[in-house]
Amino acid sequence: MAKPHTQEEYFDVLTKTGEKTGVSKPRGDVHRDGDYHRAVHVCIFAESTQELLLQQRADCKDSWPGLWDISSAGHISAGDSSLATARKELREELGIILPKDAFELIFVFLQETITNGGQFIDNEFADVYLVTTLNPIPFEAFTLQESEVSAVKYVHYLEFKSLLASKDPEYFPYDVNAQYGQLFDIIAKRYKVDNVARSLALQKQLQRYASISLNVELAGLTDADKGALDLIINAAATIDEIFYLQIWYSNPCLRDWLEKHATTSHLDKLKRAYYLINKTPWSSLDENEAYLTTADSAIKLLPEATRPVSGWKGLEYKAAFPLQKPPGANFYPPDMDKMEFKQWKDSLTEDQQNIVSGFFSVIRRYSDSSSDLSICSSLDSTNRLEGPTNDLYNVPFSQEYSSFLSKAAELLHKAGDITSSPSLKRFLHSRADAFLSNDYYESDIAWMELDSKLDVTIGPYETYEDTLFGYKATFEAFIGIRDDKGTAQVKLFGDNLQVLEQNLPMDNAYKSKDVSAAPIRVVQLLYNAGVKGTQSVAFNLPNDERIVKERGTSMVMLKNVSEAKFNLILKPIADVCIANEQREFVDFDSFFTFAICHECCHGIGPHTITLPNGKKSTVRLELQELHSALEEAKADIVGLWALRFLALQGLLPGASLKSVYATFLAGCFRSVRFGLSKAHGKGQALQFNWLFEKEAFVLNPDETFSVNFDKVEDAVESLSREVLTIQARGDKDSAKLFLKKYGVISEPLKLALHNLERIQVPVDLAAEFPIAKEILGKKEVGI
């Protein structure tokens, strides 16, 4: 609650919908004027007894004196963060010192009350945190702040709910029939579980993945490269450790706990199996809905969290994670909002702004690391900032993940020393150096020029997990064997990018005159890391706009993954969703050719742009969290346009446009099944709905779909123009409206998805990597 201060506390003033106004006022003025402001509530829940810890408010309080309330609460002072305030209030009021992974944000609620004859107006948005302990904390362990708390007690959560529902005058009057009722609903749902039903649900989720073993022939490798492969696989496994950490800070702890307890029961075995696919407690194919809760998480012992008590080993708590997947993953403080970041970023120099919105750093708080003097003292001038919003600071990946990257760099240097391929040697050494310097430019160039039978992609690349801004890259790795015949066959696509750019369906003013030819490598995948949920069939890198502008991009096609997806997923989809007379048009060559063209088209169209005010920027920076979905839609629809263009130029002899369009239609249903939380899924929904609206796709009476070959070409071109123009203008408002209208699961899509669910067509692959498994000597690698 409120603390006595020699100088009056200031609060950030919010709008009625909870956004910061940029204004702060004294505490007394805020409550006098009824301004909206922020607060935190902390609820300590003892799992073994199902009890909530309550505190009795001190008699000297200026609001609700003497009443029983939740465990701890307090206002968030101007410039302070939510989580830091929650930790501070618990420490000051109850003498409990807990790390951030003990706090689970479960909901935010608006409390509007008027007391003291209208003199005290409390309009606050409260972040409600749940701290789950294994057992009740002994009363002797508490250190109560006398000016705030008179006493504490434990009450069963259902009894507490009943007391509030009956409006018992001794308890703070929370309305359990309104927003605050979520507290009791969440606890009840979490602990009143039918384990049989839960096991069946997990089995059903697992059945959406078709198992595939990616066993690749190594006969084409030299003995030196086989030795290098062992080291590279181990480096990739180290990179996987970083990926787990980038998703959420308690994620590695959850992974280890699930592995340790996988043999406890059938349910525990299923939980771990599904976790190995998702690498998080959130299901990729279910719009990131949580399939685990903090109740499933690791138990941690913290003896120093409270005052010591004889015969008690100390406080045991569950390592928490939120029900909703954090949009900023573990790249930003979990309680940071866009306004706070913007205010801080705007206070920096232009060079510093580029760093903090760049791919290769995380954002942290001084207040979270203030107890670690070594961290604070090592911050450089880019990190240490002065001013009213200086709680945030920047940490380069090379520092944040130094222990992992040092190990990976050592392994890559050793591999570079022994490989027989000069271009691979150059890439491995330069990438190892980049891990330690945080400068990836030269190693990205080396990767683009890679000409090796052993094909290696390793480093921080895609920004899909950063749905807050789309700035930060996750670490990943793809190790494979180059398919020389397939690589030779696809060369024409990369060689014609400049021709495609000059003929794009958009204003000439937006077209680039210096698009580079794009190298394309066809690879048989033998191991990947830093990958969750869905398996990629291809990728186009790097994403660094400087390199894209100067050198273009390079593409890698994973042919064995593409073949598995076509045979196990796309063909069964076509059998269900495509009209009988067009089903014969769906073929692998069209599927693989379109995937190549999709990746090529990432390299054309707007990247570095000039805004209407004359300022230079990039599409990624302007569209922020909307960029990924719109970029995937662009690569798809412009790829479809490009295939027709190339065919009309006589560059695709034997290609059937009818096969291209029919295979694309079947592919729409494949990608949408990834969910709208995935960039590919949302982008694909946008395309399907546009083409359906333009009557290029038709729903038949038998619930199958057809391509209207007379209308599809114009519809593809009009959508290409729309998406390219939004990107070229950096028009985030138009992008938002466009995705809101078309990036949805429409009724025709619902029908198709229902029919596919009914016959249980797999959604994606669960890959096994036997070569890597043998190299790493583990029971399991991948899935």
Side-chain angles (χ1 to χ4, degrees), residues 42-230:
V42 181
C43 304
I44 297 179
F45 177 74
E47 197 174 59
S48 62
T49 60
Q50 304 281 284
E51 292 176 317
L52 285 164
L53 178 71
L54 304 184
Q55 66 155 269
Q56 188 175 34
R57 298 167 64 89
D59 291 334
C60 60
K61 297 290 293 179
D62 58 3
S63 63
W64 313 103
L67 298 190
W68 287 98
D69 202 345
I70 46 86
S71 309
S72 179
H75 291 105
I76 302 176
S77 298
D80 285 354
S81 70
S82 171
L83 183 55
T85 300
R87 296 174 66 188
K88 180 187 71 173
E89 295 296 332
L90 204 58
R91 181 181 70 249
E92 291 181 351
E93 294 185 354
L94 303 181
I96 300 175
I97 303 172
L98 289 176
K100 63 182 181 180
D101 71 345
F103 294 81
E104 176 187 358
L105 179 63
I106 52 177
F107 62 91
V108 180
F109 89 107
L110 173 59
Q111 177 178 278
E112 298 172 298
T113 60
I114 301 176
T115 57
N116 299 349
Q119 299 300 306
F120 191 94
I121 307 172
D122 198 15
N123 293 327
E124 65 178 33
F125 286 90
D127 294 342
V128 181
Y129 291 93
L130 186 66
V131 172
T132 302
T133 63
L134 204 59
N135 299 299
I137 302 168
F139 294 127
E140 303 93 320
F142 293 104
T143 303
L144 304 185
Q145 185 179 22
E146 293 182 1
S147 62
E148 297 290 325
V149 183
S150 298
V152 292
K153 67 178 179 179
Y154 275 98
V155 175
H156 195 281
Y157 80 95
L158 291 178
E159 181 184 351
F160 184 37
K161 180 181 180 182
S162 177
L163 289 166
L164 296 178
S166 65
K167 295 182 171 44
D168 190 300
E170 294 186 6
Y171 291 81
F172 188 98
Y174 295 111
D175 187 352
V176 295
N177 296 314
Q179 297 176 63
Y180 217 81
Q182 295 175 80
L183 169 63
F184 306 99
D185 294 341
I186 289 169
I187 294 173
K189 182 179 180 181
R190 185 167 294 183
Y191 292 98
K192 292 183 178 179
V193 178
D194 182 339
N195 285 340
V196 173
R198 193 175 179 196
S199 295
L200 291 173
L202 282 169
Q203 285 176 329
K204 187 176 181 180
Q205 288 174 307
L206 282 162
Q207 287 168 359
R208 295 178 295 181
Y209 291 87
S211 296
I212 181 73
S213 179
L214 298 177
N215 208 350
V216 180
E217 179 59 54
L218 300 182
L221 292 184
T222 64
D223 289 341
D225 280 355
K226 287 179 181 177
L229 176 63
D230 286 14

Side-chain angles (χ1 to χ4, degrees), residues 378-390:
S378 64
L379 301 176
D380 62 26
S381 60
T382 300
N383 302 329
R384 185 175 292 282
L385 304 169
E386 301 300 329
T389 55
N390 68 347

